[in-house]
Amino acid sequence: MSERPLVLPFDPAGIVLDRRRGLSQQLYQALRTRVLDGRLSSGTRLPATRDLASMLALSRNSVVRAYDQLYAEGYIESRVGDGTYVTKLSTQLSTGLSLGLSTGLSTFEQENTGDLSSGARTSEPLLRLKKHHLAPPKSGAPRAFRVGIPAFDLFPFDVWAKLQAGFWRNPDPAQLGYGDPAGEAVLRELIAAYLRRSRGLSCVAEQIVITSGAQQAISLCAQLLLQPGDAVAVENPGYRAAGHAFAVAGAKVVGVAVDHDGMDCSRLAQVADCRLAYVTPAHQYPTGVTMSLARRLELLAWAERGDGWIIEDDYDGEYRYSGAPLSPLAALDRGGRVLYVGTFGKIAFPALRLGYLVLPPRLVEAFSQGRALAVRHSEVGSQCVMAEFMAQGHFQRHIRRMRKAALSRRNVLKAGWPEDVAGLGPMPEVAAGLHVKVDVDNLAREQELLARAAEVGVEISPLSGYWLPDSEVPVDKRAGLVLGFAAVPEGEIAEALMRLRKAWRR
């Protein structure tokens, strides 16, 4: 005669419910936690729903809903004619050893935000990400002199809202499914036409892949063009977020000095096993210099000789204050070596998250496939609205308005710049872009000026933060200030300058 299994008693002690919140959810959570931490062992018989409702002074419906959820997730089981029991779980759980299983409803809790390198088995990408990640962006409303922010106050939001409402009022069902991972065809056609007309870049829509901003475009390049251990040349000082993307992909990031002509290509040629060079030739970030024609040709020759690639980040090329915007480096490329990165973030607003890549024809299919694996395709509404915004002529008119406003704001900054502050250099000429770099004598003085600016509510970026940590350049030679001048109107710029003069002359 077989022995009956041991039936452990149910103890409701410790189940305290807040009557102001959902009772069935609280009961479900309390019972689930007890199963996971071993207080309710495998085989424990649970009271009938009516009995447990009486024990806890609940409605029977609340208990039924809690039991139903536990049934659905496999924590309890019903035995016909015999009642409800805790499911037979693994030996570890039945003895109360939950082995780190979360008893909360979410795994994203404070105690889980530990050191990525502390685990016994941590992937190489996680370790690289620990060393190369982006700092949180500056939040809140734009203020002087935030870098990388255009004039939000001039964007025609009324026009944008009408176009967006028109799209969503009666959307084409064909656009509501899974679209082309390379992006909406009409937007790609309009971008190609714009680049041919205004930038002298001969390209067709089939070479363009839409991305979620310039950063995703750079990350795609890192993922698809590099192998772990490849060397990547970046401008030093330069855009650190690009270097982080290459490092997380497993590349060795090598800083190459920048002078008044742009990246020093003689030093680039000395970088061993270099597969890729990342440059901002129209308006170097953050020094503001323009790459000379001789350097551009030298850089293209380097790529041809070594079967390398060049990423050209034209992040604010539309802003040139004397003459037309410069033709991109990609316009000189005859060997299919340049990948051109463009963005709408500096003309519209960064939150739009809309950028694009102009690719050599042989790379288009691979990049479309890579993007499909990452995000499937871009959000369709923003693409279609931007296409209509461009088709109706609003985009070109807005560029002209933004360029004129940025020039005016630059002039206010230049006119009001304090000239008699110890250790602070003069305001240089600003021929392009949305920011300017000002020299400072040494790092200690840089930090002092930044601290005093912060005290009076003025936001300035340190040039020292744009250098790679292992740079050969002496620390004091890395000092400087980087100021964006387009984010706020002229009156706010003048008022911020007045506060700076008082703070810096103390």
Side-chain angles (χ1 to χ4, degrees):
M1 184 175 180
S2 62
E3 295 183 4
R4 292 175 60 84
L6 176 64
V7 177
L8 302 174
F10 174 79
D11 183 3
I15 298 180
V16 179
L17 306 177
D18 185 348
R19 304 287 164 170
R20 297 167 297 180
R21 299 187 293 113
L23 295 173
S24 62
Q25 180 69 10
Q26 291 182 69
L27 179 58
Y28 152 76
Q29 174 68 0
L31 295 175
R32 174 184 178 275
T33 298
R34 282 161 172 75
V35 172
L36 289 175
D37 66 19
R39 282 179 287 171
L40 284 178
S41 303
S42 297
T44 300
R45 181 174 181 172
L46 298 180
T49 55
R50 194 181 305 277
D51 294 338
L52 186 55
S54 177
M55 290 180 196
L56 300 176
L58 299 175
S59 72
R60 186 186 176 202
N61 285 341
S62 294
V63 179
V64 168
R65 285 194 293 270
Y67 274 25
D68 284 347
Q69 186 67 26
L70 293 167
Y71 277 128
E73 296 181 8
Y75 291 102
I76 62 176
E77 60 187 8
S78 178
R79 300 177 186 174
V80 178
D82 194 22
T84 301
Y85 291 82
V86 175
T87 303
K88 291 183 179 179
L89 303 176
S90 68
T91 303
Q92 291 92 342
L93 286 177
S94 67
T95 57
L97 301 177
S98 63
L99 297 184
L101 282 177
S102 171
T103 57
L105 290 179
S106 172
T107 58
F108 296 95
E109 297 179 11
Q110 191 64 35
E111 61 266 26
N112 292 329
T113 57
D115 186 339
L116 288 178
S117 63
S118 62
R121 291 178 61 85
T122 302
S123 70
E124 281 297 320
L126 280 177
L127 292 174
R128 292 194 292 265
L129 185 60
K130 182 178 185 299
K131 298 179 182 178
H132 304 279
H133 57 84
L134 294 180
K138 301 289 185 181
S139 59
R143 60 176 180 168
F145 293 97
R146 184 170 297 173
V147 177
I149 300 297
F152 295 162
D153 53 308
L154 298 181
F155 188 77
F157 288 103
D158 54 341
V159 172
W160 187 266
K162 288 178 183 178
L163 295 175
Q164 192 166 51
F167 172 78
W168 287 113
R169 190 177 296 116
N170 187 27
D172 183 348
Q175 295 176 313
L176 300 181
Y178 294 100
D180 187 335
E184 290 296 304
V186 63
L187 178 59
R188 293 157 66 201
E189 288 280 1
L190 287 163
I191 291 172
Y194 163 71
L195 292 174
R196 291 194 300 267
R197 181 180 65 252
S198 68
R199 308 307 298 280
L201 178 54
S202 180
C203 62
V204 294
E206 289 73 22
Q207 290 176 256
I208 294 174
V209 171
I210 304 297
T211 61
S212 297
Q215 188 63 35
Q216 188 191 47
I218 295 168
S219 294
L220 271 174
C221 294
Q223 294 164 16
L224 299 178
L225 299 180
L226 297 172
Q227 298 184 53
D230 283 347
V232 174
V234 299
E235 298 164 323
N236 197 27
Y239 181 48
R240 294 289 301 280
H244 291 326
F246 302 136
V248 169
K252 177 186 177 184
V253 178
V254 180
V256 177
V258 173
D259 59 22
H260 60 278
D261 283 329
M263 177 182 275
D264 186 343
C265 293
S266 63
R267 295 196 180 188
L268 169 63
Q270 298 171 12
V271 180
D273 302 318
C274 189
R275 178 70 170 156
L276 185 151
Y278 168 86
V279 291
T280 52
H283 183 236
Q284 200 276 330
Y285 189 85
T287 65
V289 302
T290 298
M291 182 176 280
S292 66
L293 177 60
R295 287 278 176 86
R296 292 172 184 238
L297 295 175
E298 195 175 351
L299 182 59
L300 289 169
W302 166 86
E304 287 283 351
R305 286 195 309 270
D307 192 25
W309 302 104
I310 302 167
I311 300 176
E312 177 182 15
D313 189 349
D314 195 22
Y315 64 100
D316 65 358
E318 287 85 1
Y319 294 93
R320 192 152 195 90
Y321 306 120
S322 58
L326 299 179
S327 293
L329 175 66
L332 298 172
D333 179 26
R334 295 294 177 264
R337 295 291 168 184
V338 179
L339 295 84
Y340 177 89
V341 177
T343 178
F344 291 100
K346 298 298 186 288
I347 290 295
F349 45 91
L352 186 62
R353 303 317 302 144
L354 200 57
Y356 53 90
L357 273 164
V358 182
L359 298 161
R362 55 184 164 149
L363 293 181
V364 172
E365 183 177 1
F367 272 71
S368 296
Q369 292 171 344
R371 190 156 191 275
L373 287 173
V375 296
R376 187 58 182 90
H377 67 114
S378 299
E379 188 274 322
V380 67
S382 296
Q383 292 186 67
C384 291
V385 173
M386 179 55 77
E388 196 64 25
F389 190 75
M390 297 177 76
Q392 294 185 15
H394 301 297
F395 183 66
Q396 285 283 31
R397 286 193 292 274
H398 184 57
I399 288 177
R400 292 192 292 269
R401 185 187 308 119
M402 293 286 275
R403 191 181 296 136
K404 181 179 179 180
L407 175 60
S408 176
R409 296 175 184 192
R410 179 208 72 172
N411 291 342
V412 172
L413 173 62
K414 183 177 179 180
W417 186 248
E419 299 289 349
D420 54 351
V421 177
L424 180 65
M427 176 62 59
E429 292 297 322
V430 183
L434 298 175
H435 70 267
V436 59
K437 184 267 291 184
V438 180
D439 293 329
V440 176
D441 280 354
N442 56 70
L443 187 62
R445 187 58 173 149
E446 176 202 79
Q447 295 302 307
E448 183 181 7
L449 293 173
L450 290 171
R452 290 189 181 186
E455 289 173 1
V456 295
V458 178
E459 186 178 302
I460 300 176
S461 298
L463 180 64
S464 58
Y466 293 88
W467 292 83
L468 293 175
D470 58 353
S471 301
E472 296 179 358
V473 175
V475 171
D476 282 340
K477 295 294 185 181
R478 307 180 200 176
L481 305 179
V482 183
L483 301 95
F485 52 77
V488 296
E490 291 85 342
E492 292 185 41
I493 292 175
E495 199 273 336
L497 287 170
M498 182 179 66
R499 298 201 307 272
L500 276 183
R501 282 192 294 270
K502 292 179 179 178
W504 284 350
R505 288 172 179 166
R506 283 205 307 267

